[in-house]
Amino acid sequence: MRAAVFREPGVIEIDDIPVPVIGSDEVLVRVRAASICGTDLRIMKHGHFRLPAGQHRVLGHEVAGEIAEAGSEVRGFAVGDRVSVVPNVGCGRCRMCRRGLNNLCPDYEAFGITMDGGFEEYMRVPAAAIARGNLMHVPDVLSFEEAAILEPMSCCLHGQRKVDLQPDDVVVIVGAGPIGCFHALLAKQQGVQTVIVSNTRQPRLEIARRMGADITINISEQDLHEEVLRITDGEGADVVITCVSKPDVIAGASDLIGRLGRINVFSGLGDQARPAIDVNSLHYLEQTVTGTTGSSVRDYADVLAMAASPNVDLSPVITDRFPLEDIRAAMAQSASGTGMKSVILFD
Ligand SMILES: [Zn+2]
Ligand SMILES: [Zn+2]
């Protein structure tokens, strides 16, 4: 079968490798769609601490497909079923796993990092992933490409749960890439009346609007801080979600919120300098700073149910489609920031 194999930073090749052999408690998924994530791009650039040098790996953790083969001991899944996977498989034993937070398990396994992921024709799903609920049925109303992008959307829901959105909140989402757009859609789905999205690129802001943003602010033309204060009659927003990896955005987040304001630091900063946080506004205005990473099995299940509802349309976020052979072009497109989600489609 064809697979895009990561060999070392900067090197990914289309190889002909054997179709994985599955055990009696495992499943083989015929991949139909796998979208490209910032994590794939980071691994391509810098590798990953869980990937030893020289270890080849099929990347891709945003995956949907249909079951091509199910082991004799597998219950609940059969050949032909449409499925997607929650990429991080917790150990099932640690304190985080016991609380249902497989995304925080220190001993996780993950598709596209420690196990082969979705940039291949057939992907093996090990027994632990099935047993812990990481393999999920996808309803017919969702296309395979929509099912693939549920993964980043589930991470956004995970982030929003930390800031407990209320209908009368004013929510500011900094960044209108795919993540910012998912946040806008989810905030609207949860009944928030005023969702503001900011970005420098107008085409991205148009998509954010199609995904539900009430107000978009192009920060190459307008000052975000001034606009938020104007919209909120000087009180400041209730929630800020930072979806860009810039220290000054995180440092400036507390200026955008008022009393009881909440911040979710959704994007990490990599090696960039860590910004100072205004501790006095935390204290005197009772503000809260949260951070989130990844998603739990529960977040994924909830997003799957939400996405299947008729008033949710994920299609504006999928802008570029490529065959597996063009994985490098797909990654370049994804890194360019000109489109939104790039998806590898298999026929
Ligand atoms: Zn991802
Ligand atoms: Zn664990």
Side-chain angles (χ1 to χ4, degrees):
M1 67 170 187
R2 290 167 303 142
V5 180
F6 167 83
R7 287 187 166 71
E8 59 182 272
V11 183
I12 193 166
E13 301 284 351
I14 304 296
D15 284 349
D16 192 6
I17 63 172
V19 173
V21 176
I22 60 159
S24 58
D25 50 3
E26 299 181 331
V27 152
L28 187 69
V29 172
R30 180 184 165 219
V31 179
R32 297 295 302 274
S35 46
I36 290 174
C37 176
T39 302
D40 298 311
L41 302 179
R42 271 195 298 281
I43 295 173
M44 267 301 282
K45 231 181 182 168
H46 308 291
H48 193 279
F49 74 101
R50 294 287 307 271
L51 253 182
Q55 168 81 56
H56 291 186
R57 178 68 66 224
V58 176
L59 306 181
H61 58 270
E62 303 176 358
V63 195
E66 53 206 347
I67 294 182
E69 203 183 326
S72 58
E73 291 167 45
V74 172
R75 297 287 168 265
F77 293 96
V79 171
D81 286 1
R82 305 168 87 248
V83 291
S84 66
V85 294
V86 187
N88 275 46
V89 183
C91 73
R93 299 178 301 272
C94 73
R95 287 180 71 221
M96 295 299 115
C97 284
R98 288 204 303 267
R99 293 176 187 194
L101 293 167
N102 52 288
N103 56 310
L104 291 177
C105 175
D107 292 319
Y108 72 93
E109 300 287 334
F111 293 99
I113 300 175
T114 69
M115 307 179 282
D116 281 348
F119 300 147
E120 59 183 352
E121 288 181 277
Y122 293 91
M123 184 178 90
R124 184 178 73 96
V125 179
I130 303 169
R132 306 214 171 106
N134 289 66
L135 183 66
M136 295 207 190
H137 282 109
V138 171
D140 289 341
V141 292
L142 289 175
S143 63
F144 286 114
E145 59 182 25
E146 287 170 326
I149 63 168
L150 293 177
E151 194 277 325
M153 189 170 153
S154 71
C155 300
C156 296
L157 181 62
H158 187 72
Q160 293 193 359
R161 284 184 155 150
K162 271 274 175 81
V163 285
D164 189 25
L165 299 187
Q166 302 297 317
D168 66 346
D169 279 340
V170 174
V171 176
V172 179
I173 296 161
V174 182
I179 290 295
C181 289
F182 287 132
H183 273 299
L185 178 138
L186 286 167
K188 292 308 288 182
Q189 284 296 309
Q190 293 176 96
V192 174
Q193 270 162 26
T194 311
V195 174
I196 303 169
V197 180
S198 72
N199 206 71
T200 52
R201 295 172 198 249
Q202 198 57 33
R204 287 197 150 187
L205 289 171
E206 305 300 337
I207 293 177
R209 208 170 255 283
R210 285 170 64 197
M211 297 292 278
D214 300 293
I215 300 168
T216 54
I217 299 175
N218 188 329
I219 54 168
S220 56
E221 294 160 5
Q222 285 175 299
D223 182 76
L224 178 60
H225 183 240
E226 268 172 32
E227 280 302 299
V228 168
L229 288 185
R230 188 184 61 75
I231 294 162
T232 57
D233 294 327
E235 286 194 17
D238 299 289
V239 174
V240 174
I241 303 173
T242 62
C243 309
V244 286
S245 290
K246 288 187 181 149
D248 58 316
V249 166
I250 294 167
S254 68
D255 295 338
L256 299 174
I257 53 173
R259 290 176 177 79
L260 292 180
R262 291 96 74 202
I263 298 169
N264 181 246
V265 179
F266 191 86
S267 288
L269 288 175
D271 298 332
Q272 300 177 82
R274 305 293 187 267
I277 288 178
D278 184 352
V279 176
N280 272 358
S281 61
L282 297 189
H283 172 71
Y284 290 109
L285 302 178
E286 297 200 13
Q287 296 176 342
T288 310
V289 182
T290 68
T292 46
T293 185
S295 65
S296 68
V297 169
R298 184 197 154 190
D299 297 319
Y300 199 99
D302 290 344
V303 148
L304 189 64
M306 216 182 268
S309 94
N311 59 350
V312 171
D313 180 12
L314 302 178
S315 61
V317 179
I318 304 170
T319 50
D320 302 280
R321 297 164 178 84
F322 299 85
L324 183 65
E325 283 67 24
D326 294 342
I327 184 103
R328 285 190 209 91
M331 287 181 155
Q333 172 63 14
S334 186
S336 74
T338 52
M340 296 295 259
K341 270 297 200 190
S342 292
V343 183
I344 303 293
L345 292 179
F346 299 73
D347 34 49

